[in-house]
Amino acid sequence: MTASIIDGKAIAQAIRDEIAGGAARLKAASGVVPGLAAVLVGDNPASHVYVRNKRQACDKAGMASWLHQMPGDIAQAELVALVRKLNADPLVHGILVQLPLPGHLDAAAVLDAIDPAKDVDGLHPDNLGLLADGRPRYLPCTPQGVWELGRRSGIDWSGKRVAILGRSSIVGKSLALVLLQKGVDATVTICHSKSKNIPGILRQAEIVVAALGQPRWVTADMIHPGAVVIDVGIHRLPDGSLCGDVAYDEVAKVAGAITPVPGGVGPMTIAMLLANTLRSAGGAP
Ligand code: GUN
C-alpha cells in the first residue's frame, strides 16, 4: 500500500482564502481591520521564522500585524507590562507570545497575563479550561489545525482509536481534549515518555498523531496497515533538510494516508491563528 498524501499546504491555502474574504467583508461592513500583535523575545532562529511566516500570512489575508521584538534578557515585569498594554489596545484583536521564552522568564505567568478574549493562540488557562469543560472558545492553533486538516481531508474521527504521541499543553494534551469533544468523538490514548509498549499502542490505532519532538521516531513497524498518520513534528537535520517525528518514506508504504513535513500540519497552525484573529475582530470566514 502507498499512503495518500494529505496536502496541508493546499488545505491551509483554501482556508486562508476564505479568511481573506471574511476580513474584506468585515472591513467593508464596519471598517474594522483584524490585527495581530506578535511578541518575540530573544534570538531563537526558528521562532523568528515562525513569527515572520505568521505576519506574512496576516498581510496576505488583509489583516494588520505588529511585531514587538524584545531583547532576550527582558525582565518578566517588562514583558507582562507589554502584554497588558496590548490587552488595552483596541486595534489589537489577537496577541501571540511566541514560545519558547528564554529560561529566566515564567512563560505561564506571561500567558496568564493575556486577555483571554484576545488569546488567539488558545493557550490561556481560561481557554484551555473551557475546552476541557466542553465549552471551547479559542482552541490552541496546532490541535485545531490537526482536527480541521482531518475534517477537510475526509477523516472521520468518530469512534476511531486515536493514539497521540506527546502530552504537551500546546499540542498533545489539548489535541486529546479537542478530539474528545462531543461531535468529534474519538477514542483517545495519549502516549508519553513513561508509557509502556508505545509501539504496541500505536499498532492498535486507526489514527496516529506524532507530537513527541523526536526526529523520525515513528517507524513503519509501529503502524497498522492503512492507518492515518499525522505528523506534528518539525526538525532541521544536519544536512539542512527538514523532517518530522515520523520516518516518512517507510511509514508512507504502510499507512493509508499521511501528512508530509513540511507542508502538512505546519501551514494549518498558521491558518488557525488567522481564523481565530478574524473571529476575535468580529468577522467570520
Ligand atoms: N511555538 C511553537 N508553536 C507555537 C504556537 O503554536 N504558538 C506559540 N505561541 N508558540 C509556539
Side-chain angles (χ1 to χ4, degrees):
M1 178 182 296
T2 303
S4 63
I5 296 168
I6 300 172
D7 188 347
K9 201 170 163 199
I11 293 172
Q13 188 56 55
I15 295 170
R16 283 168 56 170
D17 292 344
E18 292 166 20
I19 291 167
R25 284 192 300 278
L26 179 68
K27 188 176 175 193
S30 63
V32 172
V33 176
L36 176 73
V39 178
L40 179 55
V41 180
D43 50 14
N44 179 320
S47 292
H48 277 256
V49 173
Y50 291 140
V51 168
R52 191 172 66 226
N53 290 343
K54 289 169 184 178
R55 292 195 64 215
Q56 274 173 0
C58 283
D59 192 43
K60 287 187 183 156
M63 297 186 181
S65 77
W66 302 271
L67 174 62
H68 296 271
Q69 195 167 327
M70 312 310 284
D73 61 356
I74 189 173
Q76 176 84 14
E78 195 185 337
L79 187 54
V80 168
L82 170 63
V83 168
R84 294 200 197 290
K85 199 175 95 189
L86 298 172
N87 287 344
D89 185 338
L91 295 179
V92 172
H93 303 100
I95 300 169
L96 160 82
V97 177
Q98 186 66 26
L99 302 174
L101 293 175
H104 71 282
L105 295 167
D106 180 350
V110 175
L111 296 179
D112 287 356
I114 296 174
D115 178 348
K118 295 188 177 186
D119 172 40
V120 291
D121 230 10
L123 299 178
H124 189 282
D126 280 14
N127 288 318
L128 291 173
L130 286 169
L131 169 61
D133 196 38
R135 299 181 288 147
R137 179 167 50 189
Y138 293 117
L139 302 180
C141 295
T142 299
Q144 188 182 355
V146 169
W147 171 47
E148 188 67 23
L149 189 61
R151 218 173 58 78
R152 292 197 184 222
S153 50
I155 294 168
D156 179 14
W157 300 98
S158 180
K160 293 277 164 51
R161 291 186 298 271
V162 180
I164 299 173
L165 274 166
R167 57 173 157 179
S168 66
S169 296
I170 202 167
V171 185
K173 207 188 311 179
S174 41
L175 177 63
L177 294 173
V178 170
L179 299 180
L180 288 170
Q181 299 290 304
K182 285 219 163 74
V184 186
D185 301 325
T187 302
V188 180
T189 304
I190 301 186
C191 303
H192 50 78
S193 54
K194 299 290 186 292
S195 298
K196 303 266 196 302
N197 188 20
I198 293 176
I201 295 170
L202 297 191
R203 275 194 293 271
Q204 293 192 353
E206 293 150 285
I207 304 173
V208 169
V209 183
L212 73 161
Q214 298 288 334
R216 294 179 176 154
W217 194 90
V218 177
T219 48
D221 55 301
M222 303 178 190
I223 297 299
H224 186 78
V228 174
V229 178
I230 299 177
D231 192 348
V232 178
I234 186 154
H235 312 276
R236 190 163 298 278
L237 297 172
D239 70 1
S241 63
L242 293 171
C243 75
D245 290 352
V246 174
Y248 181 88
D249 291 344
E250 60 178 89
V251 171
K253 292 190 181 118
V254 296
I258 188 167
T259 63
V261 176
V265 172
M268 293 298 293
T269 298
I270 296 183
M272 297 301 106
L273 180 70
L274 298 185
N276 288 343
T277 305
L278 175 61
R279 226 183 92 203
S280 177

